[in-house]
Amino acid sequence: MEKKKIVIVGAGVAGVNAATKLVDNGYPGELITIIDMGSDPYKRKPEEVMTGFLGAGGWSDGKLTYHTAIGGQLSKYCGEEKAMELMDQVINNFKRFHPKPEEVQCSNPEAEPDFIKPYFGLRLFPVWHVGTDYLHEIGKNWYDYLMSKGVIFKWETKIEDIDFNNNIAYTHNTHIEYDELIFAVGKSGIDFAQELANQYNLPDEPKSVQIGVRFEAPQHHFQKLIDISYDFKLYRKYEDEGVSLRSFCTNNNAAYVAVEETYGDHSYNGHAKKDMRYRNDMTNFGILMEIQGIENPFEWSRNVVKKLQKNGTGLYYSPTRKPSTTSEGGDVTVTIVDDLTDFYEAMGDYAKYIMDFIGDMKKIFPTLGSDWGIYIPEVKYLSPEPLVNYNNLSLTTYSNVHFVGDALSARGITVSGAQGIYVAEDLLEK
Ligand SMILES: Cc1cc2nc3c(=O)[nH]c(=O)nc-3n(C[C@H](O)[C@H](O)[C@H](O)COP(=O)(O)OP(=O)(O)OC[C@H]3O[C@@H](n4cnc5c(N)ncnc54)[C@H](O)[C@@H]3O)c2cc1C
């Protein structure tokens, strides 16, 4: 194996899994440098949701999806069988550094219940539950392991430019040279990825828009379905209109809504605490619309998200309820609105698909009625997704630069980590 200097930008799920695969297989840690603009797991604060060791995955609700149809950006590169094997490796890493690995459990629902069939499809797939509360400890154990292997970390260090032609990454006052670069900046680095894509004119894949709301209601309304599938995925398709909707990332028992800040605008997501001290008996999930055929989907989404800001935050609407508190007992940063005028103005006719979805949920969960609220918007920015070589996720125009994780539209912990490992395997083979 030829030993090269590997620089990983982003200590998120993808970057950390890549480094782990390398050192597990004898690659010298001293040749691996991981640079992150956030903090190490001992210093990372709860409000640092997107940055630091394990990235957005480190403060997530720790649900590891285990199916190639979810966050589908894996099997397209490596095939179904290899995708499952890579996901196994990610899940094993989370177990390996977990203080109580026996508590990592897999829910694997099988039957689609009759009561939802007239209105929705239900996508059923296995999910491994790590637990938000344990991620902190997992992060520390994992970090200690990589440090013990000699991996070099540079914290609170932002990469601001990369010279792909001369293999140099720049911070504001220094630079680092690399032989191979793993670009793993996640969602918090999406602006930077876009800048590089523009600067180097990187060819990319056509993308859809993914936008909607974070829905929240008392859990008992959904219990019948939660008993079948903890992280249920309701979906429906309007083929002719190029629109499909799905419920996304369901949190139960101790379920909280989290604010995401991208490009200075607020959008919403959710997480669940495993420690039952935090139990609030709420359920939250995204209702996400995938819209095909919009020109410049990235700009379109950003524009809609911008229109949905009021007083510097996103919106909350409910016929009867108030927003829930955060797990620390604070307010979720949101502006309460009395009606959906702003929502309809920003989304146009697309708002109706979401309201129909909620209307039909009321039919299959009869106690729901007006006992719900929505945090507006929830958004998944899918751009940019540069074209990569399928065997090692390297740019088609720069073969030593590998894009992984959310920077390659992975959308999720297992797929992001798996992509990191996939690249590491190729580097080990070289
Ligand atoms: C609240 C919340 C809950 C979630 N829950 C789940 C869940 O339960 N299950 C699931 O599968 N997914 C979940 N996700 C999504 C999941 O966390 C991400 O898909 C995953 O973390 C992506 O991994 P990544 O390595 O690509 O990026 P990230 O984990 O986001 O890591 C990127 C890292 O890059 C660093 N970085 C960015 N730009 C730069 C730069 N210019 N210089 C230096 N460093 C930089 C950041 O500091 C960050 O640490 C959740 C996300 C959020 C926000």
Side-chain angles (χ1 to χ4, degrees):
M1 184 186 356
E2 193 193 341
K3 300 280 189 270
K4 292 177 164 183
K5 180 164 182 186
I6 299 173
V7 169
I8 302 177
V9 186
V13 183
V16 163
N17 273 285
T20 306
K21 182 75 194 184
L22 288 165
V23 295
D24 277 352
N25 287 276
Y27 206 90
E30 303 74 35
L31 288 179
I32 304 169
T33 304
I34 305 187
I35 303 169
D36 199 287
M37 62 186 182
S39 306
D40 75 53
Y42 291 93
K43 289 201 189 132
R44 187 173 168 177
K45 299 193 186 84
E47 60 271 23
E48 292 163 8
V49 176
M50 307 291 284
T51 60
F53 192 81
L54 284 182
W59 260 200
S60 72
D61 44 343
K63 290 203 291 281
L64 309 185
T65 51
Y66 188 55
H67 196 289
T68 53
I70 306 299
Q73 293 291 97
L74 187 57
S75 49
K76 106 172 175 194
Y77 299 119
C78 62
E80 291 282 323
E81 200 178 322
K82 179 67 186 168
M84 295 309 288
E85 191 251 304
L86 289 166
M87 287 196 284
D88 278 333
Q89 294 193 47
V90 177
I91 290 158
N92 283 338
N93 278 339
F94 274 90
K95 284 189 195 160
R96 173 177 162 195
F97 297 108
H98 199 295
K100 294 182 185 164
E102 67 283 1
E103 287 194 17
V104 182
Q105 279 162 14
C106 184
S107 63
N108 189 6
E110 265 151 32
E112 182 170 342
D114 285 340
F115 72 92
I116 64 152
K117 276 185 190 160
Y119 298 100
F120 298 98
L122 182 67
R123 218 166 260 158
L124 297 166
F125 57 88
V127 177
W128 287 91
H129 301 269
V130 169
T132 307
D133 319 31
Y134 289 123
L135 282 165
H136 210 120
E137 289 308 310
I138 292 172
K140 289 179 192 163
N141 294 341
W142 205 330
Y143 178 54
D144 290 347
Y145 171 71
L146 292 174
M147 291 285 285
S148 76
K149 290 285 180 182
V151 174
I152 301 160
F153 284 89
K154 294 191 187 298
W155 295 112
E156 291 160 40
T157 304
K158 185 172 181 178
I159 295 297
E160 297 188 345
D161 195 10
I162 302 176
D163 182 343
F164 288 155
N165 294 310
N166 295 298
N167 303 342
I168 308 172
Y170 291 92
T171 69
H172 75 288
N173 60 3
T174 183
H175 66 271
I176 180 164
E177 292 179 20
Y178 60 84
D179 295 314
E180 299 281 341
L181 183 83
I182 300 183
F183 189 75
V185 296
K187 260 203 209 169
S188 50
I190 205 165
D191 263 348
F192 182 38
Q194 181 71 63
E195 276 168 29
L196 291 171
N198 294 344
Q199 187 182 337
Y200 289 97
N201 212 1
L202 301 178
D204 58 16
E205 305 236 8
K207 296 264 97 181
S208 59
V209 163
Q210 305 256 346
I211 199 163
V213 300
R214 173 94 353 199
F215 181 92
E216 180 185 59
Q219 177 170 333
H220 63 89
H221 299 305
F222 296 95
Q223 198 59 48
K224 198 158 74 159
L225 187 54
I226 292 166
D227 288 343
I228 297 165
S229 170
Y230 175 91
D231 182 11
F232 57 82
K233 298 234 183 271
L234 297 169
Y235 71 92
R236 57 171 35 166
K237 262 193 174 152
Y238 301 86
E239 296 275 6
D240 298 346
E241 289 127 89
V243 177
S244 62
L245 287 94
R246 67 187 196 283
S247 64
F248 171 83
C249 177
T250 305
N251 299 291
N252 305 309
N253 300 325
Y256 293 91
V257 172
V259 182
E260 281 183 358
E261 193 171 329
T262 336
Y263 314 119
D265 291 328
H266 285 185
S267 56
Y268 299 91
N269 203 323
H271 62 117
K273 293 267 187 184
K274 191 143 190 176
D275 186 333
M276 281 306 122
R277 273 183 306 152
Y278 293 102
R279 190 166 185 134
N280 60 359
D281 292 313
M282 296 296 285
T283 288
N284 71 56
F285 50 85
I287 301 177
L288 276 187
M289 228 174 350
E290 173 160 357
I291 312 170
Q292 306 286 349
I294 288 190
E295 213 175 305
N296 290 330
F298 187 63
E299 292 304 320
W300 190 92
S301 308
R302 274 184 79 161
N303 200 19
V304 171
V305 170
K306 199 162 269 317
K307 284 188 196 157
L308 288 166
Q309 307 293 304
K310 207 170 197 165
N311 308 325
T313 79
L315 313 176
Y316 175 83
Y317 168 76
S318 167
T320 57
R321 300 185 58 84
K322 295 216 160 11
S324 295
T325 58
T326 64
S327 53
E328 282 79 43
D331 293 332
V332 176
T333 316
V334 75
T335 300
I336 299 172
V337 289
D338 297 332
D339 59 43
L340 289 167
T341 312
D342 296 324
F343 181 49
Y344 274 93
E345 266 173 19
M347 290 256 199
D349 287 345
Y350 291 114
K352 196 170 170 302
Y353 290 103
I354 304 245
M355 298 322 290
D356 283 352
F357 195 96
I358 295 172
D360 285 344
M361 284 200 304
K362 290 200 252 179
K363 294 180 192 153
I364 60 169
F365 304 108
T367 57
L368 182 60
S370 301
D371 196 16
W372 52 270
I374 46 179
Y375 300 78
I376 311 169
E378 174 150 346
V379 66
K380 308 291 159 207
Y381 289 112
L382 298 190
S383 305
E385 185 190 332
L387 274 185
V388 292
N389 295 306
Y390 279 22
N391 60 332
N392 64 4
L393 312 187
S394 62
L395 294 177
T396 50
T397 39
Y398 295 94
S399 62
N400 63 341
V401 178
H402 310 263
F403 270 55
V404 290
D406 280 359
L408 196 63
S409 301
R411 280 186 283 153
I413 295 170
T414 334
V415 174
S416 296
Q419 288 182 350
I421 292 173
Y422 188 53
V423 169
E425 285 182 352
D426 181 74
L427 294 177
L428 287 163
E429 261 174 36
K430 267 186 186 170

